[in-house]
Amino acid sequence: MSDAPSKSAAFYRHQAAEQHRAAGEAVLENVRERCSRAAASWEAMAARADLAERRRESQRTPPVIVERPR
């Protein structure tokens, strides 16, 4: 695969950003708190998705290169 973050991690980060924006626009304190908690949860999911992707990459078996005798 590539070095780019997985689509799910990117989605989670987008959702976190949306929740941060909503928290900033919220008038009620409880809504701000709810949005901030949601943003933290989305950020945690993005971190877990990144970790899973790194683990998958590290567990891939490199190709076997066989040299022919000369």
Side-chain angles (χ1 to χ4, degrees):
M1 285 198 139
S2 67
D3 292 332
S6 67
K7 289 180 184 176
S8 60
F11 172 78
Y12 298 150
R13 283 191 188 84
H14 176 75
Q15 294 300 313
E18 287 294 312
Q19 291 300 315
H20 281 298
R21 181 196 54 74
E25 294 175 357
V27 175
L28 300 174
E29 179 66 23
N30 64 323
V31 175
R32 275 193 299 275
E33 290 173 359
R34 183 190 68 215
C35 291
S36 294
R37 284 192 309 272
S41 294
W42 285 113
E43 289 166 351
M45 286 186 272
R48 285 193 300 270
D50 287 338
L51 178 61
E53 183 66 26
R54 285 193 303 275
R55 286 181 177 166
R56 275 192 295 276
E57 287 293 323
S58 71
Q59 293 176 353
R60 284 204 168 83
T61 306
V64 177
I65 299 173
V66 178
E67 292 186 25
R68 294 186 229 173
R70 294 181 180 198

